[in-house]
Amino acid sequence: MELSSDTPSSQIAIVGATTWGTTLAIVLARRGINVRLLARSQAESERLGIAGEHPRLPGHRFPPSLVPTADWGSGMVDADAVIFAIPSHSMRDNARRASPFILGSTLVVSASKGLEQGTDKRMTVVLGEELQVGPEQICALSGPNLAHEIIVGLPTSTVVASNSTSASGAIQAIMNSSELRVYTNSDVIGTELGGALKNVIAISAGVCDGMALGDNAKAALLTRGLAEMTRLGVAMGAEEATFSGNA
């Protein structure tokens, strides 16, 4: 599928009215993309529609082309891509709910960082098991992406990975902007593991600060943590170089 950021008729559906999901929705809608933000319930959808903004993103009004809805069927009709921006522990349930509406050549993007509780499966694996799409239609998005910085236009970068260069290139085209630089990668495993495992090290770095262990200890934690993440990722089929990149 070929998407273009210059095509006004492009439509993106985002599963999850989370801070991250809403940020992605606003950023895309600011560029004139038609975005449907899929809420969990009619009540949540109505609250967002009436307020015209997300309660955790005050002051960032919804552009006209962003429409919150609880009707997942109409929200995904003719969608060029569906982005899942939800906590990893709820990915399977949300994918199962969305499955009847994602058909044909629709691209699917996991913007969630983490592994499934109980199975340790990556999010693209969960999506592949629950959705009626081929693996070449599924992408993973990961990077140093703080919603509150992105929504105010601070520069950042991210990576979208897929085993299909056509799919990753299409998502890159729809998301890339002067503030958000999107790179592509064919290493889906490494991209997802990088996004998930770095959270463990990040929490540990916070523990170092909380225990006043000093910068030397935190530096050792970060460097050795990166080495351990890389070894684990390679053992699971990832490419070593991916762990030195944005993922």
Side-chain angles (χ1 to χ4, degrees), residues 27-104:
V27 168
L28 290 172
R30 283 173 178 169
R31 299 174 56 218
I33 303 299
N34 295 315
V35 181
R36 298 297 177 265
L37 184 60
L38 306 184
R40 291 170 296 181
S41 65
Q42 185 64 33
E44 181 182 46
S45 172
E46 291 177 356
R47 283 196 301 269
L48 291 170
I50 293 172
E53 63 181 29
H54 195 285
R56 291 195 293 274
L57 298 168
H60 298 287
R61 305 292 295 175
F62 294 162
S65 61
L66 194 167
V67 179
T69 179
D71 185 345
W72 287 27
S74 64
M76 294 186 194
V77 169
D78 298 327
D80 298 302
V82 178
I83 300 174
F84 286 81
I86 50 179
S88 57
H89 64 79
S90 64
M91 178 64 81
R92 190 174 294 277
D93 287 343
N94 280 277
R96 194 167 289 162
R97 177 178 175 182
S99 180
F101 313 116
I102 300 178
L103 304 171

Side-chain angles (χ1 to χ4, degrees), residues 108-121:
V108 176
V109 181
S110 166
S112 303
K113 296 186 175 91
L115 302 176
E116 185 178 41
Q117 294 179 358
T119 69
D120 293 333
K121 291 181 178 179

